[in-house]
């Protein structure tokens, strides 16, 4: 959704700021204005009329204008302007209307936002009309010497000036071509304004801006009175610092729901596409559709069948959303759907085209989880669910849905690709019997196709199809795109799944060489990546630059560009430097700013390179070549017979619907000869006409298919070509988006270009024009396949098409990863991990999401307990763990571990090497006393020994008692670390059996020598044994096993690492030189021993 309308207040603020900057202060416009929202009615908001006046003192001494600022057209004619008023009069006028319903023409909405600004005294002859709108080739400036509410049809009478892309306009040109009817004394100022206005328009990535009226007074001062503007929101990464806080309100008449904001926020944080618009929250027909094009098709079909008044929402979820994202999206839909009861019941249509790469089963897991959580509400609201889905792993997804229906006893009907995309809609609306459309049967999911002639004829051979060319960026441009069985490409981006899919398609089509010659990935050195070529393996080189990739692969003519929307422009300018070799570039990324897309198209036109995209899945020539993920998984390639050419060639805006077209064409003809999705953006690199003219010149193509959509005017080029005879082959055409005419307000559909911005851009207008030009236009998309079948059958009957015998279906080994996901194979894992999982929506520690780790504030001790023990321990236990880490963190620079770390640091070693040097000293003589002390003391307690007996036993066996003894500390001079640990354990632990035993031993040993006290290692050890045995999280056997496995030493290692790192950083900070041990600290004994 690219072009978004902004508030007048926001647009004027942008102009006021940047017109001055762009003209070095020459152009200055009024910037005083204040926005009044419904917060004025809320006493707790702190917003009052007095506070507004205090912040804007000019309000009290200025004549003012007040008006709603909610994207309302023709406010003057609707009586929604208060002109030449005092502040008090404006206040009364606004308060009289705030939060009241208002009908403007056929739209009714609630007034909740008002704009107050200075009144500009002027005469009628001071008013003019200005508009700038972006086009494919530049900006078009419209000017009329009269302005205001009665300006009339400016499209037919305004002066127009086309400003080419990347070209500046001069004041002289504006004066001579636009404003000739303006008084001479005003022309200079007005021309200066218009030149600067265009500059700012481009700088800030506006796509439309209309000022009506703009006032130029006797002094030449220019003041925009009313502004309507749209901004390209995809340019946020370019302009966010200039835009500031952007205000994109919902259209007047459609209140925005908090759920819409929630989905919009979720969409902004993921690479998937998640959209939701509430059309009628009390409607009975709800949809949850995958794919931008498919979402429009379902809305169209519902509206075409007379249920637009019951259509509750428009939206899409696509681009491989995760299970968690799908759950939240479905949960939002079901929450809204069950909010208002309707005695007639409701329906939820879960639909979509045939996905190219989204795992249907994975997304359905999220949907099923949401249905489970709303099962009671679904029953209470008498909701029926109709599911039609296809694509990767759809069989498992549909099986899960059927199982859910049985398990929960919910009315869920399920269909797959054996039916057309919208075949279930009449059933859901009660217009057809449910029995009339057999449900998906996993045991006999046959795909219906047109019967082929079984006469003995030569099998289809992809390599014999004539190679044809087409003008990809504009008629007469001479830019060539060529796809045949020898076409090779480079892939920009480390897209291993897409590349493997292309190679599998190549192998299936019996190509001699893989279509992918190399990959480009700038963020690592040159290397190779292993792929499968059938059952064998092959290596594809990866280069860091496009230049090197092309130099090493001179037969490459195509680049598939998977760069992100942020870097597409840079990669394309780089790639177009090699126009002598590259003839076609496919741009996959969505969200490329229109300004960059148009600049890319212009440069490609100049260089003679054809562009497919942006925002495309690509294209496919059966038996020859596929771009990226076009055509989906191999099972769909087989079911749609894309491994051999048919007689029908299509061009589509939508990538998801292109896969649906593969399915529809296969069902209703002998299959696809070639298909291209040009992309859903407003300015695709190649257009419908470019591809259709290529198909026209290809003798293998007998039927043309066009799937357009609301927005843009490219379909009219096709009408012209049919009228002047350039297109003579039968064309089946349909433009989706017919439902837009059912809404009283503007709806922006899933694709950036899917919004009518002007006359003739509606789907209904374009369908009518195509029909008038001679295209076969069905009554609705639901009849699209039937129309294709009728045209195809007529050509077969006339002898224009002779169906060929079907070749043997090729077999390609299934990738192990995918086979495992489908449950077809199994093998033992190389590793087993039970402590963490990074595969889902968020990282989990022992099953606990990382968000809960922080929301519950379990601390480092809690994290350690999850990762080491797979348990969530009590708060006192995690606190004890943290205390242990704190008291063991360091014991000065003299101990062996710290010493080694310091020596390594001073030798110039890195942090990790220095740390490891210190850690390697930990053992029986340094740090290892913890484990041994725990074993000795707990073993004695378990045997029922008393401290005296234990002490005598150790003396008898000549063993040191681990954990007893300190170099200088005694009972009279205690080690405070021991005191802290001991006191905490005695206060918080349920039992202190081992600690009490150790303290008993201490009483005996200190009677012999004062420094034979329970030291910190021993204290930690016996307290930790008590903790593990009595905290309730472990059995006795589990606690003993953990101690036996060395977790106590692990605590010492973890804690002491803190100190070792500190010593390393300390030495680096002090810039200490290489350490050499002094001679006088070494006893040199050179004689014989």
């Amino acid at each position: 959704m690219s072009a978004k309308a902004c508030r007048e207040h926001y647009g004027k603020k942008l102009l006021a700021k940047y017109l001055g900057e762009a003209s070095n202060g020459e152009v200055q416009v009024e910037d005083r204005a204040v926005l009044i929202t419904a917060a004025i009615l809320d006493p707790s908001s702190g917003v009052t009329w007095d506070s507004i006046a205090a912040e804007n003192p000019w309000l009290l001494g200025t004549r003012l204008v007040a008006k709603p600022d909610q994207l309302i057209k023709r406010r003057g004619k609707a009586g929604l302007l208060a002109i030449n008023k005092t502040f008090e009069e404006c206040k009364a006028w606004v308060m009289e209307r705030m939060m009241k319903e208002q009908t403007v023409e056929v739209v009714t909405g609630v007034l909740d936002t008002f704009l107050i600004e200075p009144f500009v005294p002027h005469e009628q002859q001071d008013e003019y009309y200005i508009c700038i709108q972006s086009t494919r080739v530049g900006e078009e400036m419209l000017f009329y010497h009269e302005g205001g509410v009665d300006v009339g049809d400016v499209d037919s009478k305004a002066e127009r000036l086309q400003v080419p892309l990347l070209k500046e306009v001069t004041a002289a040109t504006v004066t001579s071509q636009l404003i000739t009817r303006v008084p001479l004394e005003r022309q200079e100022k007005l021309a200066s304004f218009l030149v600067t206005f265009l500059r700012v328009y481009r700088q800030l990535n506006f796509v439309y801006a209309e000022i009506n009226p703009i006032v130029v007074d006797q002094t030449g001062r220019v003041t925009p009175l009313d502004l309507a503007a749209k901004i390209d929101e995809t340019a946020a990464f370019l302009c966010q610092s200039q835009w500031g806080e952007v205000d994109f309100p919902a259209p007047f008449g459609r209140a925005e729901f908090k759920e819409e904001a929630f989905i919009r926020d979720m969409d902004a944080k993921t690479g998937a596409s998640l959209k939701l618009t509430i059309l009628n929250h009390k409607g009975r027909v709800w949809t949850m559709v995958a794919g931008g094009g498919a979402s429009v098709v379902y809305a169209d079909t519902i509206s075409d069948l007379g249920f637009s008044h019951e259509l509750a929402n428009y939206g899409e979820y696509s681009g491989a959303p995760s299970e968690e994202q799908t759950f939240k999206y479905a949960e939002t839909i079901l929450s809204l759907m069950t909010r208002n009861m309707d005695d007639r019941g409701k329906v939820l249509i879960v639909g979509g085209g045939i996905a190219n790469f989204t795992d249907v089963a994975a997304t359905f897991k999220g949907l099923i989880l949401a249905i489970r959580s709303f099962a009671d509400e679904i029953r209470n609201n008498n909701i029926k669910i109709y599911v039609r889905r296809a694509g990767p792993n759809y069989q498992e997804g549909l099986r899960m849905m059927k199982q859910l229906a049985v398990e929960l006893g919910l009315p869920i009907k399920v269909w797959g690709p054996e039916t057309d995309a919208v075949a279930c809609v009449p059933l859901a609306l009660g217009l057809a019997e449910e029995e009339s459309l057999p449900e998906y049967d996993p045991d006999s999911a046959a795909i219906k196709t047109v019967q082929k002639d079984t006469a003995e004829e030569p099998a289809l051979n992809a390599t014999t199809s004539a190679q044809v060319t087409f003008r990809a960026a504009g008629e007469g441009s001479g830019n060539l795109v060529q796809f045949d069985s020898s076409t090779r490409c480079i892939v920009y981006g480390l897209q291993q799944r897409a590349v493997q899919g292309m190679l599998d398609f190549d192998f299936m089509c019996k190509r001699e060489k893989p279509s992918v010659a190399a990959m480009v990935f700038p963020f690592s050195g040159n290397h190779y990546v292993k792929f499968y070529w059938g059952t064998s393996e092959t290596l594809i080189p990866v280069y860091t630059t496009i230049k090197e990739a092309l130099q090493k692969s001179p037969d490459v003519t195509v680049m598939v560009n998977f760069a992100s929307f942020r870097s597409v422009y840079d990669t394309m300018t780089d790639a177009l430097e090699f126009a002598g070799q590259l003839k076609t570039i496919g741009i996959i990324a969505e969200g490329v700013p229109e300004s960059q897309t148009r600049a890319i198209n212009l440069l490609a036109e100049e260089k003679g390179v054809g562009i497919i995209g942006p925002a495309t899945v690509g294209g496919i020539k059966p038996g020859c070549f596929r771009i990226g993920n076009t055509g989906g998984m191999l099972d769909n390639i087989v079911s749609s017979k894309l491994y051999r050419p048919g007689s029908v060639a299509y061009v589509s805006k939508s990538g998801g619907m292109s896969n649906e077209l593969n399915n529809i064409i296969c069902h209703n003809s002998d299959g696809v000869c070639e298909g291209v999705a040009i992309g859903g953006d407003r300015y695709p690199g190649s257009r419908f006409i470019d591809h259709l003219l290529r198909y026209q010149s290809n003798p293998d193509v007998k039927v043309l298919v066009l799937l357009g959509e609301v927005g843009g005017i490219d379909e009219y080029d096709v009408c012209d070509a049919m009228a002047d005879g350039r297109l003579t082959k039968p064309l089946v055409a349909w433009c989706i988006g017919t439902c837009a005419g059912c809404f009283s307000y503007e709806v922006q559909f899933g694709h950036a270009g899917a919004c009518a911005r002007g006359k003739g851009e509606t789907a209904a207008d374009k369908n009518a024009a195509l029909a008038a030009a001679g295209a076969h236009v069905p009554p609705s998309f639901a009849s699209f396949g039937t129309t294709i079948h009728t045209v195809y059958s007529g050509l077969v009957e006339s002898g224009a098409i002779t169906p060929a015998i079907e070749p043997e279906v090729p077999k390609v080994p299934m990738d192990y990863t995918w086979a495992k996901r489908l449950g077809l194979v199994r093998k033992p894992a190389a590793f087993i991990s039970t402590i963490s999982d990074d595969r889902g929506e968020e990282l989990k520690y022992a099953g606990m999401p990382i968000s809960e780790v922080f929301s519950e504030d379990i601390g480092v001790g809690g994290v350690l307990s999850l990762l080491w023990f797979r348990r969530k321990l009590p708060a006192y236990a995690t606190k004890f763990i943290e205390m242990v880490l704190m008291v063991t963190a360091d014991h000065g620079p003299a101990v062996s571990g710290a010493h080694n770390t310091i020596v390594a640091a001073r030798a110039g070693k890195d942090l990790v090497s220095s740390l490891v040097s210190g850690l390697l000293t930990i053992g029986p003589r340094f740090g290892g006393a913890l484990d041994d002390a725990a074993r000795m003391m707990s073993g004695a307690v378990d045997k029922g020994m008393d401290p005296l007996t234990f002490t005598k036993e150790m003396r008898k066996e000549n063993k040191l008692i681990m954990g007893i003894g300190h170099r200088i500390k005694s009972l009279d001079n205690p080690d405070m670390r021991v005191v802290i640990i001991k006191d905490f354990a005695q206060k918080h632990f349920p039992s202190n059996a081992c600690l009490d035993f150790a303290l008993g031993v201490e009483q005996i040993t200190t009677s012999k020598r004062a420094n034979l006290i329970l030291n910190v290692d021993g204290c930690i050890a016996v307290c930790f044994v008590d903790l593990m045995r009595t905290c309730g999280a472990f059995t006795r056997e589990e606690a003993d096993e953990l101690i036996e496995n060395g977790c106590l030493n692990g605590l010492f290692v973890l804690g002491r690492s803190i100190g070792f790192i500190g010593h390393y950083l300390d030495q680096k900070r002090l810039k200490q030189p290489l350490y050499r041990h002094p001679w006088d600290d070494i006893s040199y004994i050179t004689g014989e021993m």
Side-chain angles (χ1 to χ4, degrees):
M1 297 186 183
S2 177
K4 298 289 283 286
C6 65
R7 292 196 193 277
E8 179 179 4
H9 175 256
Y10 175 76
K12 284 182 174 178
K13 286 290 185 183
L14 282 181
L15 291 182
K17 179 177 181 181
Y18 290 104
L19 285 171
E21 289 186 11
S23 63
N24 294 320
E26 180 181 335
V27 177
Q28 298 288 343
V29 296
E30 178 67 70
D31 67 345
R32 293 178 298 171
V34 62
L35 206 62
I36 311 296
T37 68
I40 198 73
L41 302 178
D42 181 7
S44 65
S45 69
V47 178
T48 66
W49 287 102
D50 289 341
S51 67
I52 292 171
E55 293 174 10
N56 303 276
W58 55 269
L59 289 167
L60 301 178
T62 308
R63 303 298 291 185
L64 304 168
V65 173
K67 53 189 172 183
D69 191 359
Q70 296 177 233
L71 311 184
I72 301 174
K73 298 178 181 179
R74 293 174 282 279
R75 288 170 295 190
K77 289 189 175 181
L80 292 177
L81 288 176
I83 299 174
N84 196 15
K85 303 294 185 182
T86 65
F87 178 63
E88 289 299 321
E89 289 172 330
C90 284
K91 172 182 173 181
W93 188 86
V94 169
M95 293 300 286
E96 183 181 342
R97 290 161 177 79
M98 180 66 78
M99 298 309 294
K100 301 290 192 339
E101 275 199 352
Q102 175 76 39
T103 299
V104 180
E105 296 179 345
V106 297
V107 182
T108 299
V110 175
L111 300 176
D112 58 16
T113 306
F114 291 83
L115 175 62
I116 299 179
E117 57 189 4
F119 170 69
V120 179
H122 64 279
E123 302 296 330
Q124 179 63 41
Q125 60 266 28
D126 298 335
E127 294 186 354
Y128 303 97
Y129 173 91
I130 294 174
C131 178
I132 303 178
Q133 53 192 9
S134 297
T135 68
R136 184 181 183 85
V137 295
E139 272 67 45
E140 182 180 47
M141 303 181 72
L142 283 74
F143 179 84
Y144 194 59
H145 64 281
E146 296 175 0
V149 294
D150 298 319
V151 67
D153 183 9
V154 291
D155 278 337
S156 62
K157 59 186 180 181
E159 300 292 339
R160 296 172 181 266
L161 175 62
Q162 300 287 344
V163 184
L165 281 173
L166 309 179
K167 301 292 185 183
E168 290 281 345
V169 67
T170 65
T173 301
V174 168
T175 302
S176 63
Q177 296 190 36
L178 274 187
I179 60 173
T180 56
R181 301 175 71 176
V182 174
L184 289 175
E185 65 272 14
R186 301 182 180 183
Q187 288 185 1
E188 181 180 353
K189 290 284 188 181
L190 183 56
S192 177
F193 174 87
L194 290 173
V195 169
T196 309
F197 184 27
L198 176 62
R199 191 176 302 139
V200 170
Y201 175 100
R202 287 173 163 175
Q203 173 188 340
L204 298 180
N205 276 265
F206 281 92
V207 296
Y208 177 86
E210 178 189 65
I211 304 175
N212 180 35
I214 185 167
V215 168
V216 184
D217 61 21
Q218 301 272 345
T219 67
R221 180 175 177 80
V222 180
T223 306
L225 293 193
D226 286 317
L227 171 70
K230 292 184 178 181
I231 294 175
D232 182 2
E233 68 168 339
T234 61
F237 73 97
L238 298 173
C239 302
Q240 190 63 65
S241 61
Q242 296 169 292
W243 287 352
E245 189 72 24
V246 189
D247 191 0
F248 293 136
F252 180 67
R254 188 183 70 76
E256 183 167 55
F257 286 68
K258 69 180 188 307
E259 288 83 0
E260 293 175 289
F262 171 73
I263 296 299
R264 186 167 59 248
D265 181 64
M266 195 162 65
D267 177 62
K269 298 175 181 176
T270 175
S273 179
L274 303 168
K275 305 290 188 294
L276 177 63
T277 299
I278 307 303
L279 304 173
N280 173 14
H281 70 283
K282 294 184 179 180
R284 295 175 52 234
V285 182
W286 292 75
T287 64
M288 182 173 164
V289 182
S295 62
V296 183
V297 167
Y298 277 84
D300 281 352
T301 304
I302 293 166
S303 300
D304 292 341
L305 293 173
F307 280 76
S308 60
H309 63 292
E310 293 284 14
L311 182 57
N313 70 305
Y314 167 78
E316 63 154 316
Y317 71 107
S318 59
S322 68
E323 177 183 336
E324 179 69 14
Q325 290 164 346
T326 309
F327 165 71
K328 290 180 179 178
Y329 188 90
E331 181 185 47
T332 303
I333 296 289
L334 291 171
S335 173
L336 287 162
M337 194 175 183
T338 56
R339 191 166 298 172
N340 299 291
M341 184 78 72
D342 192 307
D343 294 336
R344 298 169 295 173
K346 299 181 181 181
V347 297
L348 172 62
I349 300 174
V350 179
I354 300 176
N356 287 292
F357 54 87
T358 298
D359 185 335
V360 173
T363 58
F364 270 21
K365 288 179 182 178
L367 171 60
I368 288 170
L369 185 61
I371 292 174
R372 285 186 184 280
S373 63
F374 276 84
D376 291 338
E377 291 90 339
I378 290 172
R379 293 189 190 94
N380 295 338
N381 282 269
N382 189 22
I383 294 174
K384 295 183 178 180
I385 302 175
Y386 297 81
V387 180
R388 191 277 182 180
R389 198 71 175 95
N393 208 6
Y394 80 91
Q395 300 94 332
E396 176 65 11
L398 298 186
R399 185 198 65 77
M400 291 160 51
M401 290 300 298
K402 290 178 73 71
Q403 181 178 331
L404 181 72
V406 174
E407 179 185 339
L408 299 182
L410 294 176
I412 302 175
K413 299 292 185 180
V414 177
W415 294 272
E418 73 283 357
T419 65
D420 291 341
V422 294
C424 67
V425 175
L427 280 66
L429 301 180
L431 302 177
E433 296 295 330
E434 292 186 352
E435 294 74 17
S436 64
L437 188 66
E439 280 194 78
Y440 169 75
D441 182 354
D443 297 323
S444 59
I447 304 295
K448 60 178 184 179
T449 59
V450 173
Q451 293 298 315
K452 306 298 187 300
D453 193 339
T454 58
E456 290 296 327
E457 295 185 23
L460 294 171
N461 185 345
T463 61
T464 63
S465 179
Q467 177 177 308
V468 292
T469 63
F470 78 99
R471 298 178 289 276
E475 187 183 356
S477 68
N479 303 342
L480 304 180
V481 176
Q482 306 177 10
F483 294 139
D484 59 29
S485 58
S486 63
T487 299
R488 302 195 79 204
C489 71
I490 60 172
V491 174
Y492 189 96
L494 211 56
Q495 294 287 326
Q496 297 184 49
R497 179 176 174 181
V499 171
Q500 184 62 66
M502 294 175 70
L503 267 57
D504 288 342
F505 178 79
D506 297 339
F507 186 81
M508 179 182 286
C509 297
K510 298 180 173 57
R511 282 181 57 122
E512 295 181 1
K513 296 173 66 176
S515 61
V516 180
M519 302 166 71
V520 179
F521 190 65
F523 307 108
S524 64
N526 291 357
H527 62 283
Y528 288 88
V529 176
K530 184 172 67 175
F531 291 95
Y532 286 106
W533 179 250
T535 56
S536 61
E537 294 179 325
T538 187
L539 295 174
I540 301 291
V542 181
Y543 301 105
T544 56
T545 66
I546 296 172
K547 179 180 180 179
E548 185 176 4
L550 292 175
Q551 286 177 341
K552 297 291 179 62
S553 308
D555 59 341
V556 163
T557 58
V558 176
M559 181 172 112
V560 183
N561 189 352
F562 279 97
S564 73
F565 64 88
R566 289 182 176 86
S567 56
V568 157
Y569 182 78
D570 292 334
T571 61
M572 287 300 297
T573 54
D574 185 11
L576 289 171
E577 290 297 314
F578 307 97
Q581 182 174 349
L582 288 176
K583 295 303 177 186
T584 308
I585 302 177
I587 305 175
I588 309 302
E590 293 187 49
V592 182
E594 289 184 3
S595 59
Q596 292 190 340
T597 297
R598 294 184 300 155
I600 290 169
N601 291 344
L602 177 63
L603 183 59
E605 174 74 19
E606 295 172 350
K607 298 278 190 175
V609 175
I611 303 294
I612 299 176
T616 181
V617 70
I620 190 165
K621 187 165 186 180
C624 293
F625 185 79
R626 77 186 284 199
I627 294 177
N629 296 302
T630 310
M633 298 291 290
L634 289 184
D635 58 348
N636 188 68
I637 297 286
V638 171
S639 65
S640 295
K641 301 188 184 300
L642 296 174
Y643 51 84
R644 87 310 183 262
S647 302
V648 181
Y650 71 82
V651 59
S652 166
K653 272 266 191 182
S654 167
M657 288 307 296
S658 71
N659 218 5
E660 192 67 36
L661 284 177
N662 293 328
N663 189 46
I664 291 172
I665 292 170
C666 178
H667 284 189
N668 294 284
S669 72
D670 64 352
V672 175
C673 183
E674 186 167 348
V676 172
I678 61 174
D681 283 0
R682 189 168 181 83
Y683 305 112
S686 54
R687 297 166 293 173
F688 296 127
I689 187 61
D690 302 317
H691 296 276
L692 290 174
L693 288 175
R694 176 167 63 93
Y695 301 155
Q696 172 70 30
S697 63
N698 185 347
D700 294 337
V701 175
K702 307 300 183 183
V703 181
L704 309 178
V705 171
L706 163 65
L707 186 64
E709 64 182 25
V710 60
I713 58 174
D714 289 346
E715 289 86 350
Y716 291 103
D717 294 334
V718 178
C719 296
D720 293 341
M722 296 182 73
D724 61 26
R726 285 175 295 152
L727 288 180
T728 59
K729 293 180 179 179
L731 171 66
V732 180
W734 180 254
C735 294
I736 64 176
T738 54
C739 62
C742 300
F743 308 125
S744 57
Y745 42 79
E746 181 181 284
V747 176
Q748 169 72 61
F749 295 107
H751 293 151
C755 181
R757 298 186 190 175
K759 185 177 180 181
E761 293 194 18
T762 67
D765 286 343
K766 293 193 281 191
N767 284 329
L770 286 163
H776 299 268
V777 178
S780 70
F781 181 81
S783 304
F784 201 55
T786 303
T787 304
I788 292 173
H789 181 65
T790 300
V791 172
Y792 171 80
S793 299
L795 292 174
V796 172
E797 291 176 8
S798 69
I801 295 178
T802 302
I805 190 170
E806 281 291 342
E808 180 182 358
V809 176
K811 292 180 173 58
V812 173
M814 183 179 291
D815 184 65
Y816 174 80
T817 303
W818 188 250
K820 184 178 179 183
R821 185 178 294 184
L822 295 177
L824 301 177
V825 296
R826 65 185 181 186
K827 84 172 188 63
F831 288 96
I832 298 175
S833 175
T834 65
I835 64 171
S836 64
D837 191 344
D838 62 338
R839 297 171 300 171
E841 178 68 16
E842 58 178 309
L843 175 66
K844 292 181 179 179
Y845 293 158
M848 188 176 192
I850 191 67
S851 58
E852 292 183 20
V853 168
F854 285 92
S855 64
E856 297 187 17
D857 196 20
I858 65 173
V860 172
V863 170
L864 186 146
S865 70
L866 291 174
L867 294 178
W868 286 21
F869 311 132
R870 298 181 62 245
R871 301 286 195 281
K872 185 180 178 183
L873 299 184
Y876 71 82
T878 60
K879 174 64 176 176
F880 177 77
I881 290 172
E882 292 175 359
M883 291 173 62
V884 170
L885 297 179
M886 293 164 68
V887 300
T888 59
D890 196 49
H891 200 204
V895 296
S896 60
H899 178 83
N900 268 23
T901 300
I902 292 170
V903 171
R906 292 178 61 169
K909 303 296 288 185
D910 61 274
L911 187 148
V912 174
S913 300
S914 301
L915 172 62
V916 170
S917 175
L919 291 176
L920 288 175
T921 65
I922 296 175
R925 298 181 180 181
F926 172 58
L930 277 80
D931 277 348
D932 289 341
R935 292 190 189 99
M936 279 187 176
M937 299 286 188
S938 63
V941 171
D942 294 343
K943 292 177 182 177
M945 300 173 70
D946 59 73
L948 181 59
T949 302
F950 169 73
T951 305
K952 290 180 179 180
E953 188 75 21
M954 290 296 102
R955 182 188 304 164
K956 183 178 179 181
E957 295 179 5
N958 291 320
K959 289 183 179 180
L960 295 174
I961 301 177
M962 304 305 293
I964 294 292
H966 196 281
R967 190 168 61 86
I968 59 173
K969 295 295 183 179
S970 64
L971 290 177
D972 296 328
N973 179 27
D975 185 341
M976 289 309 300
R977 297 177 297 171
V978 174
V979 173
I980 292 169
I981 295 294
K982 178 182 67 176
D983 289 350
F984 183 87
Q986 290 175 335
K987 181 177 180 181
H988 293 96
F989 289 6
S991 171
N992 299 109
C994 286
L995 174 60
D996 292 342
F997 180 85
L999 292 175
V1001 172
E1002 180 185 54
Q1003 292 299 316
I1004 296 169
T1005 55
T1006 53
S1007 66
K1008 301 181 180 300
R1009 195 184 313 149
N1011 68 334
L1012 294 179
I1013 61 170
L1014 179 65
N1015 60 34
V1016 67
D1017 290 351
C1019 187
I1020 290 173
V1022 294
C1023 288
F1024 195 76
V1025 173
D1026 286 336
L1027 173 67
M1028 298 292 282
R1029 289 182 172 184
T1030 63
C1031 70
F1034 309 97
T1035 64
R1036 176 68 173 270
E1037 291 75 16
E1038 288 173 333
D1040 290 348
E1041 181 181 8
L1042 285 168
I1043 293 169
E1044 186 64 29
N1045 288 341
C1047 63
L1048 268 168
N1049 261 2
L1051 285 174
F1052 181 83
V1053 168
L1054 182 60
R1056 192 52 58 93
S1057 293
I1058 299 172
F1060 289 171
I1061 293 172
H1063 285 296
Y1064 170 86
L1065 295 174
D1066 187 47
Q1067 296 302 307
K1068 292 296 184 181
R1069 182 170 52 249
L1070 297 173
K1071 296 180 173 55
Q1072 292 296 287
L1074 176 69
Y1075 175 80
R1076 180 180 177 86
H1077 203 75
W1079 290 343
D1080 59 3
D1081 194 34
I1082 301 174
S1083 291
Y1084 291 93
I1085 303 176
T1086 58
E1088 294 185 6
M1089 295 291 292

